């Protein structure tokens, strides 16, 4: 139908003529209340934002020579973070010449992964980055 007829029809109904697909030949238009449409779109967007879960990354820092009790405290904290739905970044910090014994840090991270295997999965395995060894653990769905 012609543009003039479509505009007249929209005005008779007290609504707006909105172009839906401008690229189509001929262009596709729709008669609707545009203000109400925008309002409902904003409402849907607000609801979607409310329902989405923002995943934080919590960090647990340790040393390669960490003691048993200290390790258990850090591991329980990591377990609590995973149960809350957050990712955990486990970091082993090496000082001085400790970096030459990177296998000790890897052992600590492997022990952490086995401690929390019920609540999380290893998303990125242990990797040495400078003087730190980093492993990222994601919560199980």
């Amino acid at each position: 139908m012609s543009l003039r007829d479509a505009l007249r029809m929209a005005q008779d109904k007290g609504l707006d003529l909105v172009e839906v697909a401008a690229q189509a030949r001929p262009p596709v238009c729709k008669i609707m209340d545009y203000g109400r449409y925008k309002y409902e779109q904003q409402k849907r967007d607000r609801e979607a934002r409310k329902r989405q879960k923002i995943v934080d990354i919590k960090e647990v820092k340790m040393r390669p020579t960490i003691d048993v009790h200290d390790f258990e405290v850090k591991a329980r904290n990591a377990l609590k973070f995973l149960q809350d739905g957050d990712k955990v970044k486990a970091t082993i910090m090496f000082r001085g010449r400790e970096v030459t014994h990177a296998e000790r840090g890897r052992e600590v991270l492997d022990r952490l992964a086995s401690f929390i295997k019920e609540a999380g999965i290893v998303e990125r395995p242990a990797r040495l980055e400078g003087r730190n060894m980093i492993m990222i653990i994601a919560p199980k769905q």
Side-chain angles (χ1 to χ4, degrees):
M1 122 181 346
S2 72
L3 176 63
R4 188 174 298 125
D5 293 339
L7 280 171
R8 190 174 317 114
M9 189 184 294
Q11 285 175 348
D12 290 344
K13 293 181 181 179
L15 299 173
D16 302 314
L17 183 67
V18 179
E19 190 172 36
V20 177
Q23 304 301 328
R25 287 289 159 232
V28 179
C29 295
K30 192 175 189 180
I31 296 176
M32 69 167 90
D33 185 356
Y34 189 67
R36 182 176 176 190
Y37 169 76
K38 290 293 282 182
Y39 170 74
E40 288 173 354
Q41 182 70 35
Q42 287 174 346
K43 219 161 105 173
R44 278 194 299 270
D45 291 346
R46 210 174 308 119
E47 282 296 316
R49 274 196 302 275
K50 210 182 291 183
R51 275 187 253 114
Q52 79 181 5
K53 171 70 173 109
I54 298 168
V55 177
D56 291 331
I57 296 182
K58 304 281 187 158
E59 187 170 16
V60 177
K61 289 187 175 185
M62 296 179 273
R63 301 278 318 252
T65 57
I66 191 167
D67 201 24
V68 176
H69 178 57
D70 296 331
F71 172 80
E72 288 174 359
V73 169
K74 298 280 187 176
R76 278 196 303 269
N77 283 341
L79 191 63
K80 186 180 72 166
F81 295 150
L82 289 170
Q83 288 168 347
D84 290 344
D86 297 324
K87 288 185 180 183
V88 174
K89 178 181 178 183
T91 305
I92 302 289
M93 301 175 299
F94 295 103
R95 278 196 205 145
R97 295 183 185 142
E98 288 178 343
V99 77
T100 59
H101 299 287
E103 67 276 357
R104 287 187 182 173
R106 194 172 305 280
E107 289 169 5
V108 172
L109 289 176
D110 290 341
R111 196 166 30 143
L112 177 67
S114 66
F115 187 89
I116 52 124
K117 67 178 173 249
E118 301 90 34
I121 56 171
V122 176
E123 188 176 85
R124 198 171 89 191
R127 192 166 68 201
L128 193 63
E129 295 178 1
R131 292 197 164 272
N132 297 328
M133 185 173 283
I134 297 171
M135 178 172 75
I136 295 181
I137 304 161
K140 281 188 178 175
Q141 296 300 327

